[in-house]
Amino acid sequence: MELRHLRYFDALAETLNFTRAAERLHVTQSTLSHQIRQLEEELGHTLFERSTRHVRLTEAGELLRSYATPALQQIDHGLHALRQDGADPLQDSLRLGTTHSFATQLVPMCLSSFLAHAPATLVSVQELSAREIATRLAEGALDLGVSYRPADAPELWFEPLYHEELRLVVAPTHLLARRRRVRMVELHGLRMVLLPQAFSTRQLLDEAFEAAGAAPRVVVELNSIAPMIELIRRTDIAGIIAETAITPGSDLAVVPLEDPTPRRTPGLLWKKGAARSPTMRHMAAIIRRAARPAG
């Protein structure tokens, strides 16, 4: 076994995608597959379950990763320290940009896990629109983003995490609170709070309203999810929010929408060609694991 085998294993375990892992390692997919098979044969264990649609870690793969990934991070820290003439590699930082939906639950949960393993790392989190995240990543002002696929940003990599539906959110006393499903056309004339039109989510919703022939009465525009949720809780105003942004057990009614169902795909974003530090890779891996149950 050589160090490259573990680096190939780590890249594939992080992405669970042969194409992306091979691109990251700057090797062909056949080379990557061959190296992974060599490692499995030497260890006598299958590390990945492979199908035409999915790649998943086996129990043996999860066990190896729990030891290999921290070991590789320590090696990288050591190499970094040598290059920096002995500077402390733990005095690192990470600049993370996130849209409002993920700043409520997903990102705080991931930060908690991250800081438990990297307490000396300074993490700067900025809650921004999808457009601002793409711009700041391209400018080098952010290291990693949790957002949606930009419409036109060829300088960025986008890695889908899962698919989510936007839901109607109302107070429990609202007329639509007990409905099992609501058609978009039924929102015509309904008093609503939505994100401003500069947000990609609002543009998605406006397209859905137009397709349904509905024109809701937008009485409030807010550029943050938390005050939007609180306003919905206190009034008869309805909103459309990702279910992942709603705290479990809250006293709000969350109702599926149809005809059409507004959907979007969250993912990780980073700049092509930018150095991917062990800190950034570790945070990305935590976010992938946290998002996996929602997929």
Side-chain angles (χ1 to χ4, degrees):
M1 183 192 305
E2 298 184 18
L3 183 60
R4 73 169 185 276
H5 289 107
L6 292 179
R7 291 202 181 278
Y8 288 1
F9 166 78
D10 185 59
L12 184 57
E14 184 177 338
T15 61
L16 295 178
N17 183 288
F18 274 92
T19 300
R20 288 198 294 269
E23 289 176 351
R24 184 174 301 176
L25 294 164
H26 304 291
V27 299
T28 64
Q29 289 188 51
S30 60
T31 297
L32 175 60
S33 297
H34 178 68
Q35 295 292 321
I36 295 297
R37 282 197 300 272
Q38 278 189 344
L39 180 60
E40 290 177 325
E41 289 171 1
E42 183 167 347
L43 295 175
H45 290 279
T46 300
L47 302 175
F48 296 94
E49 294 178 358
R50 306 161 175 84
S51 69
T52 55
R53 297 184 61 185
H54 300 288
V55 176
R56 292 188 176 91
L57 280 166
T58 63
E59 187 174 343
E62 291 282 5
L63 179 62
L64 177 61
R65 190 184 187 199
S66 68
Y67 290 98
T69 298
L72 288 171
Q73 289 173 351
Q74 289 300 313
I75 291 171
D76 289 334
H77 282 319
L79 294 174
H80 177 76
L82 289 173
R83 295 188 184 108
Q84 297 299 316
D85 295 326
D88 184 358
L90 295 180
Q91 298 303 315
D92 204 349
S93 63
L94 178 70
R95 300 166 300 173
L96 177 68
T98 174
T99 58
H100 307 282
S101 297
F102 310 111
T104 305
Q105 290 190 69
L106 178 65
V107 168
M109 178 176 63
C110 292
L111 277 175
S112 175
S113 177
F114 176 84
L115 292 173
H117 295 89
T121 301
L122 172 63
V123 184
S124 173
V125 180
Q126 299 182 48
E127 188 176 315
L128 304 164
S129 69
R131 182 180 300 174
E132 289 173 315
I133 289 173
T135 298
R136 297 193 188 190
L137 283 168
E139 294 173 346
L142 289 175
D143 302 310
L144 185 66
V146 186
S147 183
Y148 305 96
R149 185 188 298 275
D152 184 21
E155 68 276 25
L156 301 180
W157 286 113
F158 177 77
E159 178 186 324
L161 290 172
Y162 60 92
H163 304 290
E164 68 177 358
E165 295 183 1
L166 298 174
R167 304 291 178 93
L168 180 70
V169 180
V170 294
T173 55
H174 196 279
L175 291 174
L176 298 175
R178 296 184 179 275
R179 292 281 298 276
R180 296 183 62 182
R181 304 190 75 84
V182 171
R183 291 180 297 129
M184 290 291 288
V185 70
E186 295 179 79
L187 305 183
H188 183 79
L190 189 70
R191 284 162 46 87
M192 300 197 73
V193 53
L194 296 176
L195 292 167
Q197 293 182 337
F199 284 72
S200 59
T201 297
R202 173 62 183 276
Q203 296 165 16
L204 172 70
L205 291 175
D206 285 346
E207 291 171 1
F209 286 132
E210 184 177 357
R217 184 184 168 195
V218 181
V219 296
V220 180
E221 290 183 337
L222 288 170
N223 66 353
S224 185
I225 297 296
M228 185 182 297
I229 291 173
E230 189 60 26
L231 179 64
I232 294 170
R233 179 179 286 111
R234 293 172 175 268
T235 67
D236 65 344
I237 297 174
I240 299 180
I241 302 171
E243 192 169 11
T244 52
I246 307 297
T247 302
S250 67
D251 57 349
L252 294 172
V254 181
V255 187
L257 292 165
E258 61 185 8
D259 297 329
T261 298
R263 293 185 177 89
R264 53 186 190 177
T265 302
L268 293 172
L269 280 164
W270 65 92
K271 187 176 181 180
K272 291 180 179 179
R276 300 176 67 252
S277 69
T279 301
M280 175 182 163
R281 294 176 60 189
H282 185 48
M283 175 61 84
I286 289 174
I287 293 172
R288 288 187 190 96
R289 288 196 295 271
R292 197 174 300 164

